[in-house]
Amino acid sequence: MSGVVAVHVGAGSHSSSLKGEYKKLMRKACNQAIAVLRGGGNALDAACTATQVLEDSPRTNAGFGSSLTADGGVECDASVMDGHTLRHGAVGAVPGVRNPVLLARQILDAQSQPRPGGLVPPSFLAGTGAQVWAASNNVETCEPTDLIAERSQRIHEESLRNIQRLEEGGAKRRRYALPEEEEEMQGGLLDTVGAVCVDGAGYVASAVSSGGLLLKHTGRVGQAAVYGCGCWAENNCDGSGVSIGVSTTGCGEHLIRTMFARLCARAAITPEMGANISNAVTTHFLESGFLEGVHPRMAGALILRHDPQAGTNDLYWLHTTRTMGVCYMSTHDRKPQAQFSELAMEKIGMSVNLQSKSFGPPGVSIPVTTREEAQPGPSHRMAGEEEEEEEEEERGKSDSSDEEEQPG
């Protein structure tokens, strides 16, 4: 049985001029994770390896290069889940940890080790307590300022200037950040990173990591650290025989109030060519009463569905934001495939762009398909006509397809 790894660099607004760099980074993450699987590692090992690569880049809002708090610091959230054991490990608002996903993994692993006196090992640690745990459990720590990238500092300073100008009556803006950073600031920096994986034994795992919202309050914890909201992994999901891994991205407050990761996992058990997933996101997120008065509603998810009876692996990704970057690879492929999908500006926060990729036998290339772009309200439905579906696919495909490679 082949293994599959997929990663994302978040749903948000990615600068067109930086998409090439994001693709290169995602390919690196996939290649390293696949090497783990080929070397005998399991799904959890691979998912953590891929996420660690993404955290180490100054381009992503995770680990080094995270968005800064209102006070100018870095506080990170991360979680991992093992679909085989169903254990979950998480950290929230942790300073001074170079790779929060590795700390979350250590917390997960520690849950299987008995503690003296019947003490219960933690599954979620936050703030300086999480940093102390890292230092005492051989997880690399650093000075909190070591995680501040030059890019993050520029964006932080520009954002504070913009707020000050607005408070002073909306004086004419001056540009201090670089053009590509301005583009990302205007669209919202929601670029949480993460990975989903299935290994050769059929076990699934997922990971997610985030620096949180730009100018967030110190101590704020987003969905990346919250059970059922940031990631989900479950073999034999709800007794269905199907295994699901999910990694989410978007506005943490929106995803927490809808338990978005678990929502996507349940919908993917019987996806019906994506219709169930898209309808679930429309009904329980875009139209959710738990988000009354919240607009626009920002979410994204990477979903891996493994059906051991059919011997199939299906990957879905969706977003209600302007863009989402994903990359995927199986152990049979020569090269990973990286792309960005895009939603029309007028549909941001009101529609969901859903795409999928099925992994066939070695040497068989199955194209990416756009299944649906659903809108909230009674009119949302699957595209019924073949011509409409083909047109939708062309609109939803990567706007940077010039770099797309054919799987080998």
Side-chain angles (χ1 to χ4, degrees):
M1 182 184 299
S2 66
V4 173
V5 171
V7 304
H8 69 81
V9 288
S13 181
H14 298 84
S15 170
S16 299
S17 63
L18 295 178
K19 286 180 179 176
E21 289 187 38
Y22 281 119
K23 285 184 174 185
K24 184 178 180 180
L25 173 63
M26 289 190 289
R27 291 189 186 106
K28 178 181 178 181
C30 274
N31 277 322
Q32 292 197 17
I34 285 293
V36 169
L37 292 183
R38 289 172 175 165
N42 61 31
L44 188 58
D45 296 330
C48 290
T49 294
T51 306
Q52 181 182 0
V53 172
L54 299 176
E55 286 178 337
D56 287 339
S57 170
R59 283 294 177 200
T60 61
N61 179 20
F64 176 63
S66 290
S67 295
L68 304 190
T69 67
D71 295 333
V74 169
E75 295 182 349
C76 296
D77 306 327
S79 62
V80 296
M81 188 165 181
D82 183 345
H84 179 43
T85 65
L86 301 183
R87 293 192 183 100
H88 180 270
V91 292
V94 60
V97 174
R98 194 167 296 280
N99 291 112
V101 72
L102 299 185
L103 177 54
R105 168 69 188 273
Q106 200 285 329
I107 292 171
L108 182 150
D109 289 341
Q111 294 169 40
S112 63
Q113 302 165 6
R115 306 194 73 190
L119 294 176
V120 178
S123 61
F124 179 15
L125 291 173
T128 55
Q131 185 185 28
V132 170
W133 179 281
S136 61
N137 286 276
N138 299 316
V139 177
E140 184 181 0
T141 59
C142 61
E143 290 297 321
T145 54
D146 290 346
L147 298 177
I148 299 176
E150 182 181 348
R151 165 181 175 268
S152 301
Q153 187 69 55
R154 283 198 303 268
I155 291 175
H156 178 261
E157 293 172 355
E158 174 70 352
S159 298
L160 290 178
R161 292 188 188 100
N162 291 341
I163 291 174
Q164 182 179 1
R165 282 189 285 271
L166 289 172
E167 290 175 343
E168 294 173 351
K172 185 177 180 181
R173 294 186 60 183
R174 293 177 60 194
R175 175 171 286 174
Y176 295 87
L178 299 176
E180 61 267 21
E181 295 167 352
E182 286 275 340
E183 185 177 346
E184 293 185 339
M185 287 166 58
Q186 292 169 13
L189 285 172
L190 305 174
D191 44 345
T192 300
V193 304
V196 291
C197 181
V198 60
D199 58 30
Y203 297 132
V204 295
S206 60
V208 62
S209 183
S210 177
L213 296 176
L214 178 64
L215 299 182
K216 67 181 180 179
H217 193 284
T218 298
R220 178 261 189 188
V221 174
Q223 103 285 352
V226 181
Y227 184 77
C229 304
C231 68
W232 192 262
E234 185 177 356
N235 278 82
N236 190 23
C237 194
D238 272 0
S240 64
V242 173
S243 300
I244 307 289
V246 179
S247 181
T248 71
T249 170
C251 180
E253 281 69 15
H254 303 175
L255 305 180
I256 291 171
R257 288 161 69 175
T258 53
M259 294 193 71
F260 197 69
R262 197 172 185 201
L263 165 67
C264 291
R266 294 297 176 270
I269 293 175
T270 53
E272 298 295 337
M273 301 298 289
N276 281 357
I277 299 173
S278 191
N279 289 343
V281 173
T282 299
T283 302
H284 300 293
F285 184 78
L286 291 176
E287 297 176 347
S288 174
F290 290 98
L291 296 177
E292 185 67 31
V294 175
H295 299 288
R297 300 179 180 187
M298 301 300 204
L302 187 63
I303 307 167
L304 181 59
R305 180 183 187 272
H306 170 66
D307 186 338
Q309 287 190 330
T312 58
N313 293 309
D314 298 305
L315 182 68
Y316 298 87
W317 58 99
L318 63 93
H319 58 103
T320 67
T321 59
R322 188 171 70 87
T323 59
M324 183 172 180
V326 301
C327 186
Y328 45 83
M329 184 180 185
S330 81
T331 50
H332 291 313
D333 291 335
R334 290 186 301 107
K335 299 177 182 178
Q337 308 299 304
Q339 71 172 77
F340 278 84
S341 59
E342 187 163 340
L343 190 64
M345 291 292 291
E346 66 272 15
K347 296 182 179 180
I348 291 174
M350 298 183 291
S351 300
V352 56
N353 187 341
L354 174 70
Q355 298 190 40
S356 65
K357 165 72 178 179
S358 294
F359 294 86
V364 177
S365 176
I366 301 176
V368 172
T369 57
T370 299
R371 300 297 185 184
E372 184 173 353
E373 190 172 288
Q375 298 185 24
S379 62
H380 71 268
R381 55 183 172 83
M382 290 290 290
E385 298 295 326
E386 184 175 350
E387 291 183 0
E388 292 177 351
E389 194 167 304
E390 290 175 354
E391 291 173 0
E392 195 69 33
E393 180 176 342
E394 289 303 314
R395 287 195 296 271
K397 280 186 178 179
S398 166
D399 58 352
S400 302
S401 58
D402 54 311
E403 296 186 27
E404 194 70 20
E405 300 163 338
Q406 293 300 316

